[in-house]
Amino acid sequence: MFFMVIIAIMDVGQFEKRLHEAALFFFIKDDQHIGAVKVKKSIFGWKAGLVSVNPWERERTGEKLNRMFVHGDDLLYGVVRRADERTVKVGNERAAMLDVTAVLPENKSVEHQWKGLYIWYIEKNLQSHHEIELIHNGDREVIDSKVLKR
């Protein structure tokens, strides 16, 4: 069983406030599931909110926006290859990118399997239609696009 957690700080205001009050975790379990959970600090410690777990196949993650996942009403995420050459935009906003290999333990065989994969995410109100575009950084060409309808 392989379980990996990737952490991203949520946008809660000032950096110091974010660091101490809320966090966003992405996880990959058994090479078959990807998920997210938001946690908030309360007077009794850290409390997890909604947890989403979705089926996912690493081998099918290719050069396009294959699968996207929605978490609650304000988080959209997915996995893309070669994010150093690409940008994901949701509407007019650029998605954040997290290098999956950056958090792996030092194991060359595991690192090789995940090399080039990035989790992209954006936190915004997802109540309306949004166009999601995968853009090549060099020539700004749109490689793939989808419309999120909610």
Side-chain angles (χ1 to χ4, degrees), residues 15 41 73 101 114 120 128 138 141-142:
F15 179 75
K41 192 170 185 179
D73 291 331
T101 59
W114 296 93
W120 62 266
S128 60
E141 176 186 347
V142 175

Side-chain angles (χ1 to χ4, degrees), residues 1-94:
M1 176 193 298
F2 180 74
F3 188 78
M4 170 180 23
V5 175
I6 299 170
I7 304 169
I9 303 298
M10 288 174 45
D11 186 12
V12 180
Q14 300 169 339
F15 179 75
E16 294 82 14
K17 186 176 181 182
R18 290 188 307 204
L19 187 60
H20 296 292
E21 293 187 6
L24 169 60
F25 292 85
F26 293 100
F27 57 90
I28 297 169
K29 184 177 184 284
D30 298 330
D31 279 1
Q32 298 175 4
H33 296 88
I34 186 167
V37 62
K38 291 181 180 182
V39 296
K40 291 185 179 183
K41 192 170 185 179
S42 69
I43 59 171
F44 299 110
W46 291 90
K47 181 175 172 116
L50 174 68
V51 176
S52 62
V53 181
N54 302 287
W56 175 66
E57 296 176 44
R58 176 177 40 87
E59 297 81 21
R60 296 190 69 192
T61 301
E63 306 301 320
K64 299 193 177 211
L65 296 168
N66 292 335
R67 299 257 340 247
M68 294 175 284
F69 308 102
V70 176
H71 180 87
D73 291 331
D74 63 352
L75 176 64
L76 179 66
Y77 65 99
V79 181
V80 69
R81 291 190 185 278
R82 299 189 348 233
D84 52 331
E85 301 172 10
R86 299 165 177 193
T87 299
V88 175
K89 286 181 72 178
V90 180
N92 291 325
E93 295 181 53
R94 189 177 186 164

Side-chain angles (χ1 to χ4, degrees), residues 73 90 124-132 147-150:
D73 291 331
V90 180
K124 68 184 291 172
N125 185 340
L126 299 173
Q127 296 303 322
S128 60
H129 292 35
H130 291 286
E131 184 173 14
I132 299 102
V147 175
L148 174 68
K149 298 178 183 175
R150 290 198 55 145

